[in-house]
Amino acid sequence: MGLGFLLRLLLASVSVYPVFASPPDDALAYFETGQVGRFIGARNVAIQYRVFVNHPTDQAIVILPGYAENAQKHYELIYDFAVLGFSVYTLDHRGMGASGREVQNKQVVHVESFDDYVGDLEIFFKQVVDKGAESQRFLFTHSAGGLIGAKFLAKFPGVFRRAVLSAPLLQLNTGYYPRFIAGGLAFALDSVGRSESYAPGFSDYDPKNARWGKDAFTTSKKRFDAYTLLLQQNPSLVMGGPSVRWISEILGETTKAKITSLAKRVQTPMLVYQAGEDALVLPGGQDLFCKTARSCRLIRYTKARHEIYREVDGIRSDAITRAADFFQKPEVLPSLPGSSEPIGRIFSKSGFLVERIGITLADDGT
């Protein structure tokens, strides 16, 4: 009797929503059961991954974390997808989590070339995911993982049946500085040998100083506190901020021309989740990408912050349920009401479909 069967049997005895409000201890315990491995990625950097095999199933989800994240931060999401019957594959991107670094200060989020992330994912898929027993594979990404995933989808069409990009980093919020000034400053600092240094305004981070409030990436205080405690207990996972080169690479990869070109090359059916109160990512890049892509539906959570997958229970329950339903639908895309045409074709004729979800339930006690 496999773990997947036992989890689904437990689920059948309760209502569905407690799964998405899983006690952190249960989800963390499940995370520790994952099979840990490492492979050598681009530029000889070691990449750590985890695999959660769920028997019997023919469906697997690859989860790509975002900027400054690690696989363990997604423990609750991994648990929920496992309960829903999926095997899960995930990794720590280079320069983050338990993977290798390219700079001396291990808190600096740094990459020599953004394409190295895509190269690592290619190796991960060939050496690990493709050797799994599951024949149906889906992609779930967050933030910078969305840009990595989109580039992979464009390069390798047909590898994933469907994809969900949650708050994809397709247009960085540069704050008080216009994009061209931020890009020019990053280029100048990179040119004088500061590529591995923190970008202006960033420094090392101490989770003991973390305070939940309007600057947090989630409105869920219980999830903010849980991850802060996890970082305090695992200091090797703590990240400070981006390097000059990382900022330069992100800005270079997310021009309007590049996002348009990227979207045109992605053939995989997608959902894009947009957070209405996102302080890290601007919505314009997501709008442009989804409008241009062959088959994309944009779901806007008006009350969510950047980390939709770690939001209050009402928001994240809806997001996870939608993702699972989307992954498990038949190959033919559904039609819009009153039409016999698949959604993807309608997007290409009359613009992309936006669904606004105004969930305001703070049902996790926040």
Side-chain angles (χ1 to χ4, degrees), residues 312-341:
V312 294
D313 293 342
I315 293 175
R316 75 179 299 271
S317 296
D318 186 88
I320 295 171
T321 300
R322 285 174 182 272
D325 288 346
F326 181 64
F327 291 154
Q328 294 173 333
K329 284 179 179 177
E331 285 299 321
V332 178
L333 286 175
S335 299
L336 289 175
S339 171
S340 60
E341 295 187 79

Side-chain angles (χ1 to χ4, degrees), residues 15-30:
S15 64
V16 66
Y17 283 102
V19 175
F20 305 115
S22 53
D25 289 345
D26 291 355
L28 276 171
Y30 181 73

Side-chain angles (χ1 to χ4, degrees), residues 11 17 22 24 28 37 44 51 68 93 114 119 150 158-159 167 182 191 193 196 293 298 303 316 323:
L11 175 60
Y17 283 102
S22 53
L28 276 171
N44 206 38
V51 176
H93 297 300
F114 196 87
V159 169
S191 300
E196 298 181 359
L298 192 145
K303 299 298 182 181
R316 75 179 299 271

Side-chain angles (χ1 to χ4, degrees), residues 3-4 11 100 102 112 128 156 185 191 238 251 273 275 303 324 331 344:
L3 177 60
L11 175 60
E102 297 178 272
E112 287 294 312
V128 183
F156 300 101
L185 178 59
S191 300
V238 177
L251 292 178
Y273 292 162
K303 299 298 182 181
E331 285 299 321

Side-chain angles (χ1 to χ4, degrees), residues 98-126:
S99 289
R101 305 294 198 267
E102 297 178 272
V103 293
Q104 186 173 5
N105 185 344
K106 293 185 176 182
Q107 281 207 28
V108 177
V109 181
H110 178 80
V111 69
E112 287 294 312
S113 169
F114 196 87
D115 283 336
D116 289 344
Y117 290 133
V118 184
D120 294 340
L121 180 56
E122 180 180 353
I123 296 172
F124 179 51
F125 189 88
K126 290 180 177 178

Side-chain angles (χ1 to χ4, degrees), residues 23-331:
D25 289 345
D26 291 355
L28 276 171
Y30 181 73
F31 181 82
E32 295 302 326
T33 69
Q35 303 169 15
V36 181
R38 293 171 77 86
F39 64 87
I40 302 300
R43 303 179 198 271
N44 206 38
V45 174
I47 308 297
Q48 179 165 299
Y49 65 86
R50 283 184 185 253
V51 176
F52 302 83
V53 179
N54 202 348
H55 293 302
T57 185
D58 193 38
Q59 297 180 319
I61 296 176
V62 173
I63 295 177
L64 298 184
Y67 152 79
E69 292 192 331
N70 53 79
Q72 193 162 352
K73 187 175 182 178
H74 293 69
Y75 67 87
E76 198 175 357
L77 180 65
I78 292 168
Y79 176 85
D80 290 335
F81 279 141
V83 169
L84 291 171
F86 297 93
S87 290
V88 177
Y89 296 74
T90 189
L91 78 167
D92 290 344
H93 297 300
R94 60 179 51 237
M96 308 178 209
S99 289
R101 305 294 198 267
E102 297 178 272
V103 293
Q104 186 173 5
N105 185 344
K106 293 185 176 182
Q107 281 207 28
V108 177
V109 181
H110 178 80
V111 69
E112 287 294 312
S113 169
F114 196 87
D115 283 336
D116 289 344
Y117 290 133
V118 184
D120 294 340
L121 180 56
E122 180 180 353
I123 296 172
F124 179 51
F125 189 88
K126 290 180 177 178
Q127 293 188 7
V128 183
V129 181
D130 202 34
K131 293 183 178 180
E134 307 87 6
S135 64
Q136 300 179 48
R137 288 149 184 161
F138 310 97
L139 183 65
F140 187 100
T141 73
H142 169 65
S143 192
L147 181 56
I148 297 168
K151 288 173 70 70
F152 184 89
L153 293 174
K155 188 175 181 180
F156 300 101
V159 169
F160 290 102
R161 290 193 171 196
R162 296 186 176 209
V164 173
L165 312 185
S166 181
L169 205 172
L170 302 176
Q171 184 180 353
L172 182 67
N173 185 354
T174 55
Y176 296 110
Y177 301 98
R179 180 188 178 93
F180 75 93
I181 292 180
L185 178 59
F187 177 80
L189 292 173
D190 199 340
S191 300
V192 297
R194 296 278 302 278
S195 65
E196 298 181 359
S197 301
Y198 276 122
F202 293 92
S203 61
D204 285 359
Y205 174 68
D206 186 348
K208 293 180 180 178
N209 298 326
R211 297 292 183 272
W212 181 78
K214 64 181 179 64
D215 294 329
F217 286 158
T218 173
T219 64
S220 172
K221 187 177 186 301
K222 75 173 184 181
R223 291 187 171 92
F224 177 88
D225 289 344
Y227 186 60
T228 298
L229 178 61
L230 189 150
L231 290 179
Q232 292 174 358
Q233 296 172 342
N234 299 272
S236 64
L237 299 179
V238 177
M239 304 300 299
S243 70
V244 167
R245 174 66 59 81
W246 194 90
I247 292 292
S248 183
E249 286 292 306
I250 284 292
L251 292 178
E253 291 286 345
T254 55
T255 63
K256 288 184 178 180
K258 285 201 171 183
I259 292 301
T260 300
S261 174
L262 176 62
K264 288 180 178 179
R265 289 181 284 122
V266 176
Q267 302 299 308
T268 307
M270 294 177 292
L271 291 183
V272 169
Y273 292 162
Q274 186 176 90
E277 298 181 6
D278 200 327
L280 180 64
V281 179
L282 296 177
Q286 298 165 355
D287 293 344
L288 176 62
F289 178 83
C290 206
K291 182 176 182 178
T292 307
R294 171 187 171 274
S295 179
C296 183
R297 182 172 188 169
L298 192 145
I299 311 293
R300 179 176 172 85
Y301 291 94
T302 58
K303 299 298 182 181
R305 295 182 187 171
H306 183 59
E307 295 176 347
I308 296 170
Y309 74 99
R310 295 181 62 243
E311 262 295 350
V312 294
D313 293 342
I315 293 175
R316 75 179 299 271
S317 296
D318 186 88
I320 295 171
T321 300
R322 285 174 182 272
D325 288 346
F326 181 64
F327 291 154
Q328 294 173 333
K329 284 179 179 177
E331 285 299 321

